[in-house]
Amino acid sequence: MSKSPPPGSAGQPTTVVLFGATGDLAQRKLLPGLFHLQRTGLLPDLRILGTSLDDYDRDSFVAFARKALDEHASDVTEEQWAEFAAALFFTPGGSPEALRAAVEEAEQVNPGGFLRLHYLSVPPSAALAVVRTLGEAGLHTDSRIIMEKPFGTDLASARRLNSHLHEVFDESQIFRIDHFLGKEQALNILAFRFANGLFEPVWNRNMIDHIQIDVPEQLGLEQRASFYESTGAYRDMVVTHLFQILAFTAMEAPTSLDPLSITEEKNKVFRSMLPISPDDVVRGQYSGYLAEEGVAPDSETETFIALRCYVDNWRWAGVPFYLRTGKRLAEGQRIISIAFKEPPQSMFPEGSGIGQHGPDHLTFDLADQGKMSLSFYGKRPGPGFRLDKLSMQFAIAETGWAGSVLEAYERLILDAVNGNHTLFTTAEGVERLWEVSAPLLEDMPPVRPYAEGSWGPNQIHQLIAPHTWRLPFERIWRDKR
């Protein structure tokens, strides 16, 4: 595999073959993201060939793209739009021959000079058919393919999916996308840990009591009932997103920042994870779920999941990782919270406030304009010795770098063009996560009801005791503006 270009460098001339080009993800994220990559010069020589089963032609697809940019992009000038529109092509979903002819038409200004990136924004049931079409069209050689989740629904299905993929594409060509890892703050975890001598020495079981990864969502199904009924919160969010964030948080220092070294350290974390016990899991279902269109009246699908898991290696033995996510919760957040151990003995007088506000925490907010916060005890000014919880905070929005932040899909598309696998998972990693999930999938605990707008079923407090959940978030992010 060739060496990746430096991070942030401009990609080579690229044809993006966008399957599912008239769908919701393309409208909200992919077309605006590709426009931004072209406008900023990160993908200056770009062709986009849209294809779908909807009744579109090139003119109507261009109109669709304009509507997507009007709704989801900002400051689009007519000159920029004209350049982007000229790069748009469309072909109806159909024969391999028609697809290949459309690709060649889009590339006729420079035949053979474009990297081909196939983006499969299609339902899981259609993905393998698209892969076969690409193989039959001869579009699989010297190309790359981005796959959307789910990557199977259990170990057997993941192995089947990978086997069929490898019949057409080599593993080095496959990019299994996880937009959570495309967040700026996900990479900041690596910078924070491995670039600072202050924090890496305490990043272990001797100093850290427990870790929480919390991704509550206010959204509901959003017309995805048929998909969600076949997956649920665990398959939809934990295996594909939260476990990936766990790996970045728990991994050892890679030998370098090259993709293979980072991927190997992530896979070591997955190999060290203990199987998920059903006794360490709380499943929930929000009160209005059964009334949603497309949901079975007796559905046991969970819309909420909270669990405790362990990475059984020298660094993390005995340290619990608490993961939580769900639909229709009180707030939408993406928080990693590191709880440090409290001092073994206090010399401070009774009534000083020590211990009343919980342990010190380091918190990462994975929003696009990310933040970090470190909380600790400090003395309140004045007579006596009264302690308060204080915090130091950093926000990208407060810096001159804010305009450089790439949206997650933009970063991941650019990385795939550049052949950089750092933020993507592998067949080995996917299969290992389904392997540790097997005990839970074979014996799911019952779903517990919870009210919409709450933080989930009451049983979550028993799961984390004697600790407490960090959401609702205790330290208010300061807005210095």
Side-chain angles (χ1 to χ4, degrees):
M1 184 174 167
S2 61
K3 188 175 181 179
S4 303
S9 61
Q12 60 187 294
T14 302
T15 299
V16 176
V17 184
L18 180 54
F19 295 87
T22 56
D24 180 64
L25 180 63
Q27 183 177 26
R28 290 186 299 105
K29 296 292 186 180
L30 303 182
L31 290 169
L34 289 166
F35 169 76
H36 186 249
L37 290 173
Q38 184 195 59
R39 178 175 66 178
T40 55
L42 291 171
L43 286 182
D45 197 351
L46 180 66
R47 300 290 184 275
I48 302 166
L49 173 62
T51 180
S52 77
L53 298 179
D54 293 330
D55 187 18
Y56 277 72
D57 57 17
R58 184 177 183 183
D59 290 341
S60 56
F61 179 57
V62 169
F64 176 86
R66 181 66 208 230
K67 182 174 183 289
L69 267 56
D70 288 343
E71 294 180 359
H72 303 287
S74 59
D75 302 325
V76 182
T77 68
E78 288 306 311
E79 181 181 359
Q80 292 166 345
W81 164 247
E83 183 180 1
F84 187 68
L88 296 172
F89 300 82
F90 189 84
T91 184
S95 70
E97 293 79 15
L99 179 62
R100 183 171 185 87
V103 170
E104 291 172 349
E105 178 190 358
E107 296 176 349
Q108 62 184 347
V109 295
N110 186 16
F114 286 84
L115 168 78
R116 289 166 183 165
L117 178 66
H118 308 298
Y119 197 117
L120 273 59
S121 178
V122 298
S125 58
L128 287 179
V130 172
V131 170
R132 286 193 294 271
T133 297
L134 289 169
E136 292 168 5
L139 296 173
H140 60 297
T141 57
D142 298 322
S143 68
R144 295 173 181 139
I145 182 170
I146 294 181
M147 302 286 296
E148 284 278 353
K149 66 172 187 176
F151 312 122
T153 55
D154 56 21
L155 180 58
S157 62
R159 284 175 172 167
R160 283 196 302 273
L161 175 62
N162 288 329
S163 175
H164 289 306
L165 280 173
H166 292 155
E167 290 174 1
V168 179
F169 291 95
D170 183 77
E171 178 66 20
S172 64
Q173 297 175 270
I174 303 169
F175 292 77
R176 298 170 184 82
I177 195 167
D178 173 15
H179 68 274
F180 273 52
L181 291 188
K183 302 287 185 183
E184 189 71 43
Q185 284 300 86
L187 286 173
N188 225 342
I189 296 171
L190 299 187
F192 193 87
R193 287 187 57 190
F194 300 127
N196 297 296
L198 178 62
F199 290 100
E200 179 55 24
V202 302
W203 208 267
N204 55 56
R205 61 187 176 87
N206 296 321
M207 299 296 179
I208 291 177
D209 185 84
H210 65 279
I211 293 174
Q212 294 181 34
I213 301 175
D214 227 324
V215 186
E217 297 181 288
Q218 286 182 304
L219 297 174
L221 299 187
E222 309 300 310
Q223 288 81 51
R224 296 167 70 231
S226 59
F227 165 77
Y228 209 78
E229 276 285 271
S230 65
T231 56
Y234 184 80
R235 290 177 171 92
D236 181 41
M237 289 291 292
V238 176
V239 176
T240 52
H241 294 321
L242 273 65
F243 281 160
Q244 302 298 325
I245 294 295
L246 183 154
F248 260 48
T249 308
M251 64 187 275
E252 296 295 327
T255 54
S256 70
L257 283 179
D258 71 273
L260 289 178
S261 298
I262 292 176
T263 296
E264 175 57 20
E265 295 306 329
K266 285 170 56 185
N267 285 342
K268 284 181 183 177
V269 173
F270 298 147
R271 291 195 290 268
S272 299
M273 287 179 65
L274 295 178
I276 308 300
S277 169
D279 294 336
D280 291 334
V281 176
V282 174
R283 297 168 71 230
Q285 187 182 91
Y286 66 79
S287 55
Y289 179 74
L290 296 181
E292 299 273 10
E293 184 178 354
V295 172
D298 58 349
S299 174
E300 290 289 307
T301 300
E302 79 277 357
T303 62
F304 173 96
I305 192 95
L307 62 101
R308 176 174 53 221
C309 61
Y310 294 91
V311 177
D312 194 27
N313 59 20
W314 276 73
R315 182 182 290 265
W316 297 112
V319 176
F321 289 74
Y322 295 99
L323 281 54
R324 177 171 62 163
T325 185
K327 300 287 189 185
R328 299 286 190 195
L329 296 176
E331 293 179 26
Q333 294 275 7
R334 292 166 181 174
I335 297 290
I336 304 170
S337 186
I338 316 293
F340 292 96
K341 291 186 175 179
E342 299 192 60
Q345 187 174 356
S346 174
M347 64 182 182
F348 296 98
E350 186 176 350
S352 65
I354 186 73
Q356 292 182 357
H357 301 284
D360 300 337
H361 282 88
L362 173 65
T363 304
F364 295 88
D365 181 349
L366 297 184
D368 288 331
Q369 296 285 347
K371 308 182 189 81
M372 285 186 287
S373 172
L374 177 63
S375 69
F376 51 89
Y377 282 102
K379 182 185 177 300
R380 182 187 298 179
F385 224 112
R386 181 70 183 174
L387 301 178
D388 283 331
K389 211 56 179 273
L390 310 174
S391 68
M392 292 189 296
Q393 298 180 358
F394 161 81
I396 288 177
E398 297 170 0
T399 73
W401 316 329
S404 302
V405 174
L406 290 178
E407 198 276 334
Y409 282 97
E410 296 168 6
R411 177 190 301 280
L412 294 168
I413 289 171
L414 183 62
D415 280 354
V417 169
N418 288 333
N420 186 340
H421 277 85
T422 301
L423 300 177
F424 299 85
T425 192
T426 63
E428 177 189 342
V430 166
E431 291 179 15
R432 173 56 185 165
L433 290 175
W434 286 121
E435 189 176 10
V436 301
S437 301
L440 172 63
L441 298 180
E442 292 167 3
D443 184 22
M444 284 282 206
V447 289
R448 311 283 185 177
Y450 66 94
E452 297 180 42
S454 71
W455 290 105
N458 290 332
Q459 288 78 8
I460 61 172
H461 304 296
Q462 301 165 15
L463 176 70
I464 202 171
H467 316 298
T468 58
W469 294 99
R470 286 275 282 166
L471 288 176
F473 193 51
E474 297 169 11
R475 317 283 341 143
I476 301 301
W477 294 110
R478 294 189 295 267
D479 187 351
K480 295 181 181 177
R481 293 169 295 177

